[in-house]
Amino acid sequence: MVYGTSQINRSFFYGSDNSTIYFTYFSEFNRSWKGAAYLEAITMIILCFVSVFENIIILGVIFKSRKARTVTNYFVCNLAIGDILFVSSAPLVAYVRLTGSWYLGDGMCHLLNYGMFVCSNTMIWTMVAISIDRYVCIVKNVSSSRRLAPVHIFYICAGIWLTTSCCFLPTAFFFHIQEIDQNGTKYKFCTLTWPSGHIHYSVLFTTMLLVLGFGLPVVIISINYFCIFKKFLNSKRAIDTISQTASNSGTQTRRKREHRVVTSLVLLVVIFVIMWLPVVIVFSMIREDIENGRNEMPSYGLTCALIIAYLNPCINPVLYGFMNAEFIRNIACCRRYKQRSTAVTMALPQEEPTSATYM
């Protein structure tokens, strides 16, 4: 069957049997403006390099500084690993956007999409774990070190990876390369093909993505940070009552700190919603188009939502690392240690270069 590219590049089109429905995902054919593919590819690659660079700094500080090895930062470490793995898919997606057709092979068709689902949801649930840890520490006033040892954190992080891997395992099997003929030209694309039957697998998948990949995490994170915000307000009122005679400079300093805390809490929730809601909306709209026989969602809608999601690994290091005053102090400690080590090495006699190793 022959299709126009305007139909192929939208929410769905029927296969040769007029019953199987396909979506082209990362592939798009015969674009009216060729520059769009280059713009998308350049944006994705820039986001990839920025994110990897930032998250490597986060990992380096945590591994080098013993003071940085807190419970929360262990979770941040797991988040950084998920960020790097997720955004590493960007160059491959950029390549597909440039070529249109899928030339990466059937194995990569299975692995790339499955890995993106697993890594993105691992990132999301690690952020949930961080919010829970902060809630217990701040609201319940229970020290993390009294509750969790590093081995416990390892089990929690491993459990997150294992759970997301199992939840999205079907996508590893049901993503396949499909080939179509359009005006004598064959196009190949990687798409999700669910088995036929009475069970609506696509509906179940979309519902799971909506609930487990966005809805439930947003609710948990919002509740935890709202409780922290309430605790902060109560503490603020108590401090204001006791220290009414505080100096102007002290009051201004406290207000700046309060403003920073409130801003951080709001940003954590708002940015999470902004980064991941577009992906959920696109999948939901594709499902809605299929159910109602409409064909309105363009294939580049998924790419735009994915680019927004790629922003999250760039912003996570800022929100969970560089905006953390304790983390900044750890970076400063690492720098001072490095400077001292360099100074000691330069001061040592040239004939004893190995002695610097033991300083």
Side-chain angles (χ1 to χ4, degrees), residues 314-329:
C314 295
I315 296 176
N316 281 340
V318 177
L319 290 177
Y320 293 94
F322 303 135
M323 283 182 65
N324 188 325
E326 182 66 30
F327 203 90
I328 295 298
R329 284 195 290 272

Side-chain angles (χ1 to χ4, degrees), residues 10-66:
R10 291 191 175 273
S11 296
F12 67 91
F13 67 94
Y14 290 101
S16 56
D17 58 356
N18 283 329
S19 61
T20 306
I21 294 175
Y22 299 115
F23 177 66
T24 56
Y25 282 86
F26 306 134
S27 296
E28 190 166 347
F29 309 109
N30 297 340
R31 292 183 169 202
S32 56
W33 181 45
K34 300 295 183 182
Y38 291 96
L39 184 61
E40 292 167 352
I42 291 171
T43 303
M44 289 183 189
I45 291 171
I46 290 174
L47 291 176
C48 177
F49 279 113
V50 171
S51 174
V52 170
F53 176 74
E54 290 179 343
N55 282 285
I56 285 176
I57 292 177
I58 295 294
L59 291 173
V61 172
I62 293 174
F63 281 119
K64 283 186 177 181
S65 174
R66 289 188 177 181

Side-chain angles (χ1 to χ4, degrees), residues 40 43 95 111 190 192 216 252 259 293:
E40 292 167 352
T43 303
Y95 174 74
L111 183 62
C190 177
L192 184 59
L216 188 58
Q252 289 176 358
H259 183 267

Side-chain angles (χ1 to χ4, degrees), residues 144-258:
S144 298
S145 58
R146 287 167 50 192
R147 295 181 294 105
L148 297 171
V151 66
H152 298 142
I153 304 166
F154 173 79
Y155 289 145
I156 292 171
C157 293
I160 292 173
W161 281 100
L162 181 62
T163 303
T164 55
S165 298
C166 292
C167 286
F168 291 95
L169 190 60
T171 61
F173 296 101
F174 298 129
F175 265 100
H176 294 284
I177 295 176
Q178 297 294 333
E179 189 174 286
I180 59 171
D181 189 301
Q182 198 271 323
N183 295 331
T185 304
K186 292 185 177 180
Y187 297 100
K188 292 195 299 184
F189 57 92
C190 177
T191 188
L192 184 59
T193 308
W194 296 109
S196 57
H198 298 292
I199 301 176
H200 296 285
Y201 293 99
S202 60
V203 176
L204 292 176
F205 173 74
T206 306
T207 303
M208 182 183 72
L209 193 66
L210 177 62
V211 175
L212 297 182
F214 182 77
L216 188 58
V218 166
V219 171
I220 296 173
I221 289 175
S222 299
I223 291 174
N224 288 333
Y225 288 138
F226 178 73
C227 291
I228 292 172
F229 178 71
K230 281 183 62 179
K231 177 84 171 183
F232 167 75
L233 284 182
N234 293 334
S235 300
K236 176 180 176 296
R237 292 191 191 103
I239 292 172
D240 287 342
T241 302
I242 295 171
S243 59
Q244 289 178 353
T245 59
S247 65
N248 260 351
S249 60
T251 303
Q252 289 176 358
T253 302
R254 190 173 67 253
R255 284 177 180 172
K256 287 180 181 178
R257 186 169 60 251
E258 292 165 358

